[in-house]
Amino acid sequence: MNKFNLKKKLVPFFFALLGGFFVGGLCLICCGYDPINSYLAMLEGIFAKPKYMVQVIVKSAPLILTGLSVALAFKSGLFNIGAEGQYMVGLLVAALMGIKLSLPPVIHFLALFIAAVIAAGVWGAVAGFLKAKFGINEVVISIMLNWIAFYLHKYIFAQPWLLVRNLDASLPIRETARISIFQKFKETAQWKGMIAKNPLFSDIFKTDLNIGIFVALLAVILIHYFLNKTTRGFEFKTMGINHETASFVGMNVKRNTVLSMFIAGAISGAAGAIQITGVSPYRMTNLAGFEGYGNEGIYIALVANCSPIGCLFSGLFFSAIKCGSSLMQIKVGTPREIIKIITGVIIFFIAVPFLHKLILNYLQKKKENKLENTK
Amino acid sequence: MELERTEQSLLEHLPAKNVAAVSMCNIHKSFGKNHALRGVDLNVMPGTIHALLGENGAGKSTLMNILCGFYHQDIGFISINGKQVNITNPKMAIDYGIGMVHQHFMLVQTFTVAQNIMLGSELTKGIGVIDFKRANREITELSNEYRLTVNTKKKVLDMSVGMQQRVEILKVLYRGAEILILDEPTAVLTSQEANDLMQIMRNLASNNKTIVVITHKINEIKRVCDFCTIIRRGENVLTVHVDDYNEQQLGAMMVEREIVSVPRLKTTKSKKTILEIKDLVVKDDRGVKKINGVSLEVKAGEILGVAGVDENGQQELVEAITCLRKVESGTIKIHGKEIQNTTTKNVICSGISAIPEDRHRSGLVMKFSVAENMILKRYKEKPFSRCGRMNKILIKQFADDLIEKFDIRPPNCAEIPIKKLSGGNQQKVIIAREVSNNPDLLVAMQPTRGLDIGAIEYVHQKLWEQKKKEKAILLISLELNEIMEMSDRIAVIYNGEIIAVVEADATSEEEMGALMVGGGKK
């Protein structure tokens, strides 16, 4: 029964995938690019070298986390469009603590990580609180909070004690706070020699390999466990489907609304923290607009059907096509913006859940007709 | 044996020259493995009101959906006015003069009556200009002809449910329907509206329209219908002339067993007050006082019925007791302890359980399994969860136990989503949940709404069991029969006030009817 259910859930996803790449291909043809070569280059950009694969994994960590954040809120009946702002608050707090504090390694990261998670959690909980207390729609509040976070980022970034002149970037965070793996080893002479001998190692070491993916994995497992095994998770799911029943059976819907938004914010904040501590240049840059990790979380959660495990795979998938598109642009010259079209079409197909049924029915009928004709 | 007799008596009633308006013969229909209809026959004479009686899931609606062209039968044939037809889509059914009024109305709320009725068959003058004047005139004429008294220029959202239903009827008449199918038409109506509807049905029949009513309300069949076809599990049992049978007999034929109305248990003269409400004032969402100084007492081992027309404060009363709504002033005490304006959790812990009015909206989580719905109130209790971790195995055992004890069907349904269960069985799940934690007070709001007679009987038995256990029950219902049958004492609520509390034995339906519309108020 379980297997059957899984199949039932995956079929529409693969249909959406096919649809996305098909429509994307049509667009490429219209613009005079070769879709097959483009897609092959994209695949190459994902799988051809271990470096690429590592890059996909590294880039997927913040996406998985923001996806998870949106998914958890969705499960409890809330639309966390504020993942972007929460991500930014997490990044900001982590950056400040990473630059200003001086602590031993590991402890430094743990301290700033916890602070970032709590700060972003509170940022999210503000929307939850206003919804619970005054019934204000969390979507509106979250969008406003996103902009507040954005300009807060700009304001702090503009402080002279943070800025490096002529670079348009902040000071880097201290090395004690960084979470890149093998960072130290790379610089020792002994390892340098070894890296030079072994191209596989040198390849991987060129990337920003960091522990972010393990944080994301841990979060996926924790949230999966939380939703399926704990009483609080049960309350979240109940109010997510039917909040009237939830209050009727004595659940504290208001408190859970705040709590849900807090946890969702915290997860997004974690994404921000691992991004600044794990990816070079370990600095804040002057933002022209939103980085988009939070907003990408929305469609990652949607494609994952709000399942935590699903977020893991959908995060990896979107990270993969993002990374693969770089090589596609370099090698074939196809503009990487095509992945936005593909993503859009995939979401469209997933949002129309009966579409794959229509197609399947049509194919079935055709098959039957053929059989009859041959008879 | 009895069957032969009835068939004969039926024939005697029929004028020989008439041809059936609708004749469905040996209809079979299956959905996958589920054999919904197994050879059903239906003959409806023109100008008559014909009831289709059966429990939930007996196949009534499937049969009518076939007639309306939503489904196509696997075997069998249909003739309209003696001519065999093959109805393959709803449009064809309309062309044959068949119109259906669904239980859930399909009206555009912001449109006027005339706009709604024209929708899909707009009258135009010139190229695409709608001729509202003519449409209004035609619809008004039609409305007057059948005494529907519908104002065609009014917007649907300003109309009562009863009037909206008339608009639906007018809509099918406007499309030239000669055969009207009404699906559970009185389910959403107040008793006054239901009376009016029955009058309308009579008018229509006397204008030679043919009406088929899907229902499980036997008293209404007795009042308006000429014939009644009883369907049981996809097979039709028989067609009878309504006058030849009394309500008990019809009910028994529907559920295949005798309906015995259990004589009311005498109240043991208990002095122990469980629930005490004093001078309660509650406002609704718009700030209008919906409960205005209500005082009530419910004693152990007693069923207190609250009778009244809908929208007189019943909803707010229940919400106040369960702490889902703020109390402005006054007190609600259980066992002498004040509970108003605390939390629902506290109310539940104080020993109050409630059966909600709308089981889909506030009683169940339709996407959850049966087991998850059963544990909704007790998931935090040991041993179902420890340190915030739920024990799925114990919860399933608990659910299996209740499924067996409360005879919820299908058996072993603990892990099936509850939306796959029939309405009656969903209600059983709620009752199992609300009764299994042994509450001192059970607040039952419309506990039998939308259920068939077998399930109603079941719910009533469960309420009586509670009473036998010396528990207090507050029964709030819009069905006067139910209140009269079940209660020891009856409180009549009108305009947010309790205008009378009477002993059930010492009152009559007439007296109650008068009180419910404020007649007893000085």
Side-chain angles (χ1 to χ4, degrees):
Chain A
M1 172 138 180
N2 227 337
K3 239 181 196 167
F4 175 71
N5 267 343
L6 192 67
K7 194 181 151 197
K8 222 167 138 190
K9 280 176 191 161
L10 285 181
V11 165
F13 173 69
F14 283 114
F15 262 95
L17 220 63
L18 274 175
F21 281 100
F22 179 70
V23 176
L26 287 183
C27 292
L28 286 179
I29 291 171
C30 290
C31 302
Y33 297 101
D34 180 357
I36 293 172
N37 274 337
S38 304
Y39 286 159
L40 282 178
M42 189 189 275
L43 271 181
E44 214 176 294
I46 300 166
F47 294 112
K49 289 184 189 168
K51 179 173 83 175
Y52 296 153
M53 286 195 261
V54 171
Q55 199 60 27
V56 167
I57 290 170
V58 167
K59 288 219 167 147
S60 71
L63 292 177
I64 294 168
L65 283 169
T66 51
L68 206 54
S69 158
V70 178
L72 179 80
F74 258 135
K75 278 271 181 193
S76 37
L78 299 161
F79 185 17
N80 182 22
I81 205 167
E84 188 72 51
Q86 294 145 13
Y87 166 88
M88 220 170 262
V89 168
L91 187 138
L92 205 58
V93 170
L96 286 179
M97 288 186 69
I99 295 164
K100 286 285 155 200
L101 274 185
S102 163
L103 285 170
V106 184
I107 295 174
H108 193 174
F109 171 71
L110 284 179
L112 74 81
F113 185 75
I114 289 166
V117 159
I118 290 173
V122 170
W123 201 260
V126 169
F129 174 78
L130 290 173
K131 164 139 187 157
K133 187 84 187 168
F134 305 107
I136 310 170
N137 194 323
E138 77 277 10
V139 174
V140 178
I141 308 235
S142 296
I143 292 174
M144 292 199 280
L145 281 172
N146 281 352
W147 286 104
I148 296 172
F150 180 71
Y151 284 105
L152 191 67
H153 182 281
K154 273 195 173 278
Y155 172 75
I156 290 179
F157 181 77
Q159 300 303 308
W161 45 268
L162 206 61
L163 206 60
V164 181
R165 271 181 207 288
N166 310 326
L167 196 63
D168 207 21
S170 74
L171 294 165
I173 62 165
R174 286 166 197 261
E175 281 189 11
T176 46
R178 296 185 191 170
I179 54 166
S180 300
I181 304 174
F182 309 128
Q183 200 66 32
K184 272 272 150 59
F185 292 138
K186 276 192 228 173
E187 282 144 29
T188 55
Q190 187 190 354
W191 278 83
K192 263 185 184 158
M194 198 167 157
I195 289 165
K197 269 182 241 156
N198 193 332
L200 179 71
F201 275 166
S202 72
D203 231 23
I204 293 177
F205 282 170
K206 272 183 205 157
T207 64
D208 292 316
L209 186 62
N210 62 50
I211 65 160
I213 186 67
F214 300 109
V215 174
L217 268 175
L218 190 70
V220 165
I221 293 164
L222 280 179
I223 297 299
H224 178 78
Y225 182 85
F226 172 77
L227 280 175
N228 291 307
K229 300 278 180 195
T230 66
T231 52
R232 185 73 70 187
F234 185 63
E235 286 178 10
F236 276 25
K237 280 194 293 184
T238 306
M239 78 176 197
I241 303 169
N242 188 338
H243 73 272
E244 287 208 31
T245 300
S247 44
F248 178 80
V249 297
M251 293 173 183
N252 193 335
V253 172
K254 291 183 173 178
R255 195 179 56 199
N256 282 343
T257 301
V258 181
L259 191 64
S260 168
M261 283 305 280
F262 177 85
I263 300 176
I267 302 170
S268 286
I274 63 163
Q275 190 69 2
I276 190 100
T277 53
V279 178
S280 61
Y282 311 103
R283 309 164 187 266
M284 282 157 61
T285 46
N286 195 1
L287 293 181
F290 288 120
E291 280 187 89
Y293 283 109
N295 293 338
E296 277 159 34
I298 294 168
Y299 62 70
I300 285 162
L302 199 69
V303 169
N305 197 15
C306 296
S307 127
I309 309 268
C311 284
L312 178 64
F313 292 107
S314 101
L316 276 169
F317 170 76
F318 282 107
S319 167
I321 60 169
K322 246 170 122 178
C323 293
S325 67
S326 317
L327 192 75
M328 177 180 80
Q329 184 161 5
I330 296 164
K331 216 177 151 187
V332 192
T334 311
R336 59 179 305 182
E337 278 68 28
I338 189 70
I339 61 162
K340 293 204 170 152
I341 294 176
I342 296 172
T343 311
V345 176
I346 290 174
I347 294 162
F348 173 78
F349 277 90
I350 284 188
V352 188
F354 51 84
L355 207 63
H356 75 275
K357 273 183 209 154
L358 282 180
I359 298 169
L360 280 181
N361 281 348
Y362 175 77
L363 292 178
Q364 183 90 22
K365 254 189 196 158
K366 228 178 170 183
K367 217 178 189 179
E368 276 167 17
N369 283 347
K370 235 184 204 170
L371 277 178
E372 262 171 43
N373 286 344
T374 48
K375 265 178 203 168
Chain B
M1 205 168 63
E2 195 182 40
L3 197 127
E4 276 169 33
R5 198 186 64 77
T6 35
E7 289 287 347
Q8 226 162 27
S9 70
L10 178 68
L11 287 176
E12 282 162 23
H13 286 292
L14 299 178
K17 57 185 177 175
N18 264 3
V19 188
V22 177
S23 169
M24 300 178 84
C25 211
N26 193 29
I27 304 289
H28 284 258
K29 175 76 189 171
S30 40
F31 300 100
K33 279 182 196 158
N34 178 13
H35 226 107
L37 293 175
R38 294 179 267 202
V40 175
D41 299 322
L42 177 70
N43 288 295
V44 184
M45 290 299 141
T48 61
I49 303 179
H50 197 115
L52 213 50
L53 179 65
E55 290 189 272
N56 290 333
K60 298 166 291 186
S61 301
T62 312
L63 187 66
M64 284 304 106
N65 281 329
I66 287 174
L67 185 58
C68 292
F70 293 112
Y71 302 142
H72 198 264
Q73 69 272 24
D74 301 337
I75 314 175
F77 50 87
I78 302 170
S79 25
I80 306 288
N81 296 327
K83 241 177 41 198
Q84 195 172 328
V85 294
N86 184 22
I87 301 173
T88 51
N89 59 48
K91 177 85 177 51
M92 273 176 97
I94 294 170
D95 293 342
Y96 285 121
I98 300 166
M100 185 156 175
V101 175
H102 293 271
Q103 197 177 351
H104 302 282
F105 305 147
M106 300 173 181
L107 298 170
V108 182
Q109 292 284 316
T110 50
F111 278 12
T112 66
V113 171
Q115 284 170 327
N116 264 295
I117 290 171
M118 287 160 69
L119 211 60
S121 55
E122 293 89 352
L123 284 171
T124 51
K125 51 181 178 189
I127 319 153
V129 180
I130 296 177
D131 191 348
F132 278 113
K133 233 181 213 166
R134 203 173 118 215
N136 269 325
R137 199 179 59 235
E138 282 186 14
I139 294 165
T140 311
E141 272 168 22
L142 201 63
S143 161
N144 291 340
E145 191 184 338
Y146 299 104
R147 277 169 276 164
L148 289 165
T149 60
V150 172
N151 178 358
T152 56
K153 286 177 184 161
K154 220 170 165 183
K155 279 188 180 169
V156 167
L157 62 112
D158 298 327
M159 302 178 108
S160 69
V161 177
M163 285 311 263
Q164 291 187 16
Q165 188 172 50
R166 292 188 196 184
V167 176
E168 284 280 8
I169 294 173
L170 210 47
K171 200 158 97 182
V172 296
L173 289 174
Y174 185 73
R175 280 168 179 57
E178 290 299 319
I179 301 151
L180 279 81
I181 302 162
L182 309 179
D183 187 2
E184 302 275 354
T186 57
V188 288
L189 302 184
T190 64
S191 56
Q192 182 55 42
E193 284 174 331
N195 285 338
D196 293 346
L197 176 71
M198 283 184 237
Q199 188 55 49
I200 289 167
M201 284 161 68
R202 274 270 146 248
N203 291 344
L204 287 166
S206 61
N207 277 307
N208 220 22
K209 302 278 180 193
T210 309
I211 300 176
V212 181
V213 196
I214 303 176
T215 185
H216 44 235
K217 287 191 182 163
I218 295 169
N219 57 346
E220 285 167 8
I221 294 178
K222 280 297 284 182
R223 279 171 59 193
V224 287
C225 297
D226 303 308
F227 298 100
C228 175
T229 293
I230 296 153
I231 298 183
R232 211 157 59 197
R233 276 182 234 119
E235 288 172 60
N236 63 334
V237 182
L238 70 171
T239 301
V240 297
H241 198 275
V242 171
D243 293 344
D244 294 348
Y245 292 88
N246 65 26
E247 292 183 17
Q248 273 78 15
Q249 285 169 317
L250 287 173
M253 284 190 275
M254 177 175 103
V255 295
E256 203 177 12
R257 62 183 176 269
E258 200 77 21
I259 303 286
V260 272
S261 36
V262 188
R264 186 163 44 224
L265 294 162
K266 281 283 149 240
T267 329
T268 45
K269 285 281 172 220
S270 165
K271 285 279 181 312
K272 203 175 146 209
T273 304
I274 302 283
L275 176 79
E276 192 186 354
I277 299 175
K278 229 176 182 168
D279 305 324
L280 190 71
V281 177
V282 181
K283 286 181 180 169
D284 69 1
D285 294 332
R286 289 166 299 172
V288 180
K289 268 189 198 165
K290 271 317 213 22
I291 296 281
N292 201 354
V294 162
S295 297
L296 275 179
E297 254 183 26
V298 191
K299 295 190 161 66
E302 170 188 65
I303 299 181
L304 177 72
V306 175
V309 180
D310 200 6
E311 291 285 300
N312 270 298
Q314 292 98 325
Q315 176 97 36
E316 285 76 13
L317 179 65
V318 173
E319 284 173 352
I321 295 173
T322 50
C323 276
L324 291 168
R325 188 173 283 283
K326 201 179 148 227
V327 172
E328 300 294 324
S329 66
T331 56
I332 303 170
K333 285 183 189 166
I334 178 130
H335 293 306
K337 201 179 93 195
E338 287 191 17
I339 54 158
Q340 78 275 9
N341 291 340
T342 58
T343 59
T344 307
K345 180 99 207 148
N346 177 44
V347 170
I348 294 166
C349 293
S350 314
I352 299 180
S353 271
I355 300 170
E357 181 185 20
D358 187 336
R359 57 178 168 269
H360 290 183
R361 212 185 68 194
S362 49
L364 297 169
V365 182
M366 297 309 276
K367 281 186 188 165
F368 276 8
S369 70
V370 172
E372 283 172 314
N373 272 293
M374 278 183 167
I375 205 71
L376 270 178
K377 274 196 172 166
R378 304 180 69 180
Y379 63 96
K380 269 191 177 168
E381 282 174 29
K382 277 182 186 171
F384 303 123
S385 68
R386 271 176 207 284
C387 305
R389 190 183 181 286
M390 289 172 70
N391 187 332
K392 294 246 157 114
I393 297 162
L394 278 179
I395 290 171
K396 183 168 181 295
Q397 274 173 9
F398 170 75
D400 284 338
D401 206 37
L402 287 184
I403 287 165
E404 204 192 313
K405 223 165 101 192
F406 285 80
D407 188 30
I408 294 161
R409 274 174 254 177
N412 299 322
C413 59
E415 278 163 353
I416 303 176
I418 197 156
K419 64 180 167 200
K420 298 215 167 141
L421 265 58
S422 69
N425 282 305
Q426 288 173 0
Q427 191 73 346
K428 283 182 184 176
V429 171
I430 293 189
I431 290 173
R433 182 179 78 205
E434 300 299 332
V435 169
S436 67
N437 59 351
N438 208 15
D440 293 327
L441 171 72
L442 181 66
V443 180
M445 176 106 182
Q446 295 265 68
T448 57
R449 191 166 94 158
L451 300 184
D452 64 56
I453 192 157
I456 290 174
E457 188 193 10
Y458 176 91
V459 172
H460 286 174
Q461 257 166 21
K462 287 292 160 197
L463 292 182
W464 267 314
E465 270 173 32
Q466 283 299 103
K467 181 176 163 176
K468 245 190 247 170
K469 282 196 258 174
E470 287 291 297
K471 306 291 183 187
I473 293 135
L474 183 65
L475 172 68
I476 295 143
S477 177
L478 303 178
E479 306 268 345
L480 188 52
N481 309 349
E482 181 169 51
I483 296 265
M484 296 287 287
E485 193 185 331
M486 301 290 301
S487 319
D488 300 301
R489 289 185 303 140
I490 302 172
V492 182
I493 192 165
Y494 178 72
N495 247 341
E497 289 173 44
I498 299 289
I499 55 169
V501 180
V502 293
E503 294 285 330
D505 295 335
T507 185
S508 62
E509 288 207 16
E510 288 73 31
E511 189 194 351
M512 291 303 296
L515 283 169
M516 276 160 65
V517 292
K521 208 181 176 198
K522 285 141 213 156

